[in-house]
Each structure stands twice: as C-alpha cells, then as structure tokens.
Amino acid sequence: MRHIRRLIILAMCVLMLSTLVYADGTTKNYKNNTTITATGMCSVNLMLTVSLDEPADHLTFPLPKDARNISVNGTSVRTYDSTGGSTILADLSDLDGITGDYTLNISYNLGGVLQTVDKKLMLELPILSGFEYPVQYLEFYITFPGEISGNPSFSSS
C-alpha cells in the first residue's frame, strides 16, 4: 500500500511538472499622452502594444465611464457598459483570432477632471481602468495649459 501511494504521488508530481502554462497575453508598452485645457477638458491618447499568446475572443478595453469621442486606430468604436458601473468597454473585436503583437491607438475625451478643493486645484485623472492584460512598461505624459506654480503632489490608488 505504501509503494502504491508513493507511486501515485510521483505520478502526480511528474504530471504537474510537465503541464504547460500559457499566459493569455501581456501589454508590452503602454503610453499615455494627456492634455488638459484651462476649462478642465482632457484629451487622452493611448498607444499600447498588446502581445496575444492565444487568439482573443470578444476583447474589450476598459475606459472611464464618462469618456467621450472614443476612437481606436482612428475609427469610432462601439462601447458597452461594464458590470461594475465605473467603466465602459471599448469593443476591440477586430483583434479576435489574432496572435502576436498588435499596436492600438486609443483616443478619448474627458470633462470635469479639474476641481477646486480647499482653494487648491485638484486633477483627478483615471489612468488605468482594469485592462485584463498586465502592463510591462508604462509611460505617462501630461500637458497642462500653463506653468505650474508651487509644489504639486501626486497620489495614486
């Protein structure tokens, strides 16, 4: 009985070691260029390279709920409400069935990102909203309508 138990444990170990694990994909590069106007409007341009190990099926990209004028690679796209309610999902079904590296250029506008709190100007800008592929490299650029005076602080959650 002992030998049979050891044999079963050995067989299970060999099976676990020989099982291949595939990652669905990763985001190799994610570049965010954001421009803020004096009126608090915001123009966001994302450029990301997604590496798909397996063919995607019904791929979407989450964006802030109040994103407007959304385009992917220069073309307007359909959006769907997410179940969580804080994002909308841009339809990337053009990638269905594709594997390898694919570059996306996503543009959208946000309003009301500047607020005054305790006589201080506050910028609240969602950068990542839950894309399902992990990001390996992120660049974030922001352009303000004028010079920054004082010492700005940054927080992230």
Side-chain angles (χ1 to χ4, degrees), residues 14-79:
V14 168
L15 265 173
M16 284 190 266
L17 290 174
S18 64
T19 302
L20 296 176
V21 177
Y22 292 102
D24 287 332
T26 58
T27 305
K28 289 184 173 181
N29 295 304
Y30 186 103
K31 188 182 290 186
N32 180 319
N33 287 307
T34 299
T35 302
I36 310 293
T37 67
T39 62
M41 292 299 293
C42 173
S43 173
V44 180
N45 294 300
L46 307 174
M47 187 172 88
L48 54 135
T49 302
V50 178
S51 180
L52 301 173
D53 296 334
E54 297 177 5
D57 188 31
H58 304 296
L59 187 64
T60 58
F61 189 86
L63 297 170
K65 184 74 170 176
D66 55 348
R68 300 290 177 256
N69 302 323
I70 302 164
S71 68
V72 176
N73 295 339
T75 304
S76 181
V77 295
R78 280 190 308 192
T79 59

Side-chain angles (χ1 to χ4, degrees), residues 17-156:
L17 290 174
S18 64
T19 302
L20 296 176
V21 177
Y22 292 102
D24 287 332
T26 58
T27 305
K28 289 184 173 181
N29 295 304
Y30 186 103
K31 188 182 290 186
N32 180 319
N33 287 307
T34 299
T35 302
I36 310 293
T37 67
T39 62
M41 292 299 293
C42 173
S43 173
V44 180
N45 294 300
L46 307 174
M47 187 172 88
L48 54 135
T49 302
V50 178
S51 180
L52 301 173
D53 296 334
E54 297 177 5
D57 188 31
H58 304 296
L59 187 64
T60 58
F61 189 86
L63 297 170
K65 184 74 170 176
D66 55 348
R68 300 290 177 256
N69 302 323
I70 302 164
S71 68
V72 176
N73 295 339
T75 304
S76 181
V77 295
R78 280 190 308 192
T79 59
Y80 308 96
D81 285 331
S82 67
T83 56
S86 63
T87 61
I88 56 174
L89 302 172
D91 182 11
L92 302 180
S93 60
D94 289 347
L95 298 180
D96 287 356
I98 294 176
T99 58
D101 292 355
Y102 193 81
T103 300
L104 296 167
N105 291 297
I106 301 172
S107 298
Y108 60 93
N109 296 322
L110 292 172
V113 295
L114 289 177
Q115 301 169 2
T116 303
V117 178
D118 297 329
K119 297 183 182 181
K120 294 181 181 178
L121 199 56
M122 181 179 202
L123 170 67
E124 187 173 334
L125 183 64
I127 298 174
L128 292 171
S129 301
F131 190 47
E132 63 188 74
Y133 297 122
V135 176
Q136 292 178 346
Y137 184 75
L138 171 71
E139 290 180 61
F140 178 69
Y141 300 93
I142 188 164
T143 304
F144 290 103
E147 291 291 320
I148 297 175
S149 61
N151 247 348
S153 62
F154 174 81
S155 66
S156 175

